[in-house]
């Protein structure tokens, strides 16, 4: 969890209260696309879950550079699902993420 919170901060995301559990869920929902993971959403549908996140710890700064990436991930996810090809962005990005962590001296 600490790494996720650190990464979000480094990416420029700012939350009003800095609740680490909410920040972790935000990252897992938006970047790992764990939309149906009950551990993340508590069984809420995506829209209700996003409303719940905002009520618990509002995002006060959303860096513009991430908007295009997040939109593209939604498009790619839709294409994969349309062809019956489930995808895990977390698994796909793992090697790159591990490389960045190692380069920054953050690998554990």
């Amino acid at each position: 969890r600490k790494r996720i919170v650190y990464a979000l901060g480094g990416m420029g995301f700012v939350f009003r209260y800095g609740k680490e559990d909410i920040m972790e869920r935000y990252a897992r929902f938006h970047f790992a696309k764990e939309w149906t993971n009950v551990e993340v959403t508590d069984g809420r549908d995506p829209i209700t879950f996003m409303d719940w996140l905002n009520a618990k710890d509002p995002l006060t700064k959303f860096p513009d550079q991430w908007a295009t990436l997040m939109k593209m991930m939604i498009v790619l996810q839709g294409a994969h699902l349309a062809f019956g090809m489930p995808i895990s962005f977390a698994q796909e990005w793992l090697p790159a993420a591990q490389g960045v962590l190692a380069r920054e001296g953050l690998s554990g």
Side-chain angles (χ1 to χ4, degrees), residues 40-108:
V40 174
T41 66
D42 293 329
R44 295 175 181 89
D45 65 82
I47 299 299
T48 304
F49 179 69
M50 288 187 292
D51 288 342
W52 178 84
L53 281 175
N54 190 55
K56 293 292 183 185
D57 196 357
L59 186 64
T60 58
K61 183 178 179 195
F62 181 91
D64 293 338
Q65 68 266 29
W66 297 105
T68 302
L69 171 70
M70 293 172 85
K71 289 177 187 175
M72 199 65 221
M73 288 173 63
I74 291 169
V75 169
L76 291 172
Q77 181 75 17
H80 278 89
L81 292 175
F83 292 104
M85 300 167 38
I87 186 171
S88 167
F89 288 108
Q91 289 300 316
E92 295 290 329
W93 290 26
L94 182 60
Q98 287 173 328
V100 169
L101 288 172
R103 191 170 56 247
E104 295 296 322
L106 298 172
S107 59

Side-chain angles (χ1 to χ4, degrees), residues 11-56:
M11 293 164 67
F13 288 86
V14 178
F15 294 79
R16 180 172 293 154
Y17 307 117
K19 295 180 180 177
E20 292 184 359
D21 61 323
I22 300 301
M23 295 169 73
E24 177 186 13
R25 288 180 185 215
Y26 180 92
R28 289 177 65 185
F29 182 82
H30 287 289
F31 291 106
K33 298 301 175 202
E34 295 184 32
W35 298 327
T36 59
N37 186 330
V38 175
E39 180 183 309
V40 174
T41 66
D42 293 329
R44 295 175 181 89
D45 65 82
I47 299 299
T48 304
F49 179 69
M50 288 187 292
D51 288 342
W52 178 84
L53 281 175
N54 190 55
K56 293 292 183 185

